[in-house]
Amino acid sequence: MKWTSHDVRRRARDRVLRRTAVATAALALIGGVSVPTTAAAAAPGGAAASGCRQPAPQQPGTSRLQTLTSGGLARTYQLHLPADYAGHDNWPVVLAFHGRGNTGAGTEEFSGLSGLPAIVAYPDGVVGTGDGDRQAWQGAPYAAPGIDDIAFTGDLIDELARTLCVDRQRVYATGKSNGAGFTGLLACRMADRIAAIAPVAGAFYPATGEDCRPARPMPVIDFHGTGDATIPYAGDADRGLPAIPDWTAAWAERNNCHARPQIRTIEPDITVTRRTGCRHGAEVRHIAITDGGHTWPGADSYSGGGYVTRTIEAHEVMWQFLRQYRTPRSFLR
């Protein structure tokens, strides 16, 4: 079934309104708080951008393909503005990176992220190597040679800050598969601009974490299915992919979290591992979906092969986690 941008926004709003008792209880146990519904609640204060009180590049409540030049190339991104964006409140920003061969618009269709009280940008990667003309992100072995997606991400943040009223302390990164792996690289290299990350079904190839020395502790919430046949939960030594629990444990070590994690199964298919006591409160949290496939939890349209849980909605759970964190002003650049 082909979804229009109107369908995506309507269904995202409907999902938020149709909260079931089971889902509400699950989210509470995961440790989140209520999702704010206004810009004022979402981003009080903060480091305002120069785009405040300027005409928006598109109508609030819409999604539109935008273009910027980065590294001498015309790069595109799908931009969604909340319906009540008015250009004078400082809005948080979510950057959502697609999986290999997908697009920003395709990720918007299944992720539900455009239902969040945030500006959401869905960037498009550059066609990489391997079979077919498939867009990819830096850090993967099939990424396009010579493409600096870290610089592109910085240029994208600058463009959003120039044209929109954003809170530069509240820029978050999420992604699926190859895009999720790229958020790991951003966490290592751009901790002065990214407040927290939320990878889903992440492909954490070696280059996404080599010489990882973040400028500050990085809060992480990670989602992964134990039945993922594309990026195995237990890792894949032949491709240099780590076991997912080892990857999250490495971030807990970087953040100086308590050595002993808190592990709790909150629903038959949802197990939450929390690593707390971290430096500057930068918690590392992992959501394991029992038998979950290479999928986005709660997706209403195709997001990958395998089982899709309906117990949680990834975009809601990650937002409850992400919205707590800000990049300290002393780190901003």
Side-chain angles (χ1 to χ4, degrees), residues 55-297:
Q58 63 195 56
Q59 287 296 314
T62 66
S63 297
R64 181 178 297 176
L65 193 66
Q66 302 284 356
T67 303
L68 66 84
T69 300
S70 177
L73 297 176
R75 302 292 300 265
T76 57
Y77 61 99
Q78 180 89 341
L79 176 66
H80 177 79
L81 295 185
D84 49 349
Y85 176 85
H88 48 73
D89 291 308
N90 302 335
W91 284 84
V93 173
V94 176
L95 307 177
F97 296 90
H98 62 71
R100 185 188 188 193
N102 206 330
T103 63
T107 301
E108 184 181 24
E109 287 185 3
F110 65 71
S111 67
L113 291 167
S114 290
L116 297 179
I119 294 167
V120 187
Y122 304 85
D124 292 316
V126 173
V127 173
T129 62
D131 297 335
D133 294 332
R134 294 194 281 177
Q135 298 179 104
W137 297 104
Q138 185 177 347
Y142 43 76
I147 298 298
D148 191 341
D149 284 321
I150 296 174
F152 166 55
T153 302
D155 291 340
L156 175 56
I157 294 171
D158 290 343
E159 178 70 3
L160 296 175
R162 185 184 68 81
T163 58
L164 295 166
C165 194
V166 306
D167 183 346
R168 293 188 298 113
Q169 289 183 266
R170 303 191 68 207
V171 177
Y172 309 108
T174 184
K176 163 86 189 323
S177 191
N178 170 217
F182 181 59
T183 69
L185 182 58
L186 293 177
C188 293
R189 306 284 182 84
M190 293 187 69
D192 55 348
R193 307 199 73 180
I194 303 293
I197 65 168
V200 179
F204 302 112
Y205 292 102
T208 65
E210 288 176 348
D211 195 27
C212 183
R213 299 177 182 178
R216 46 173 276 274
M218 175 60 64
V220 176
I221 182 168
D222 173 75
F223 301 77
H224 212 106
T226 65
D228 190 330
T230 303
I231 305 295
Y233 189 83
D236 184 341
D238 290 341
R239 290 187 287 166
L241 294 170
I244 299 304
D246 292 345
W247 184 85
T248 56
W251 272 105
E253 184 175 354
R254 290 187 189 100
N255 291 356
N256 291 330
C257 303
H258 288 161
R260 181 174 295 180
Q262 304 168 21
I263 303 174
R264 190 174 185 184
T265 298
I266 62 168
E267 292 293 333
D269 66 342
I270 303 294
T271 299
V272 181
T273 300
R274 297 182 64 184
R275 295 178 182 270
T276 58
C278 313
R279 189 156 51 102
H280 301 316
E283 182 178 332
V284 177
R285 194 177 300 185
H286 171 57
I287 315 296
I289 301 94
T290 303
D291 297 328
H294 194 59
T295 55
W296 184 280

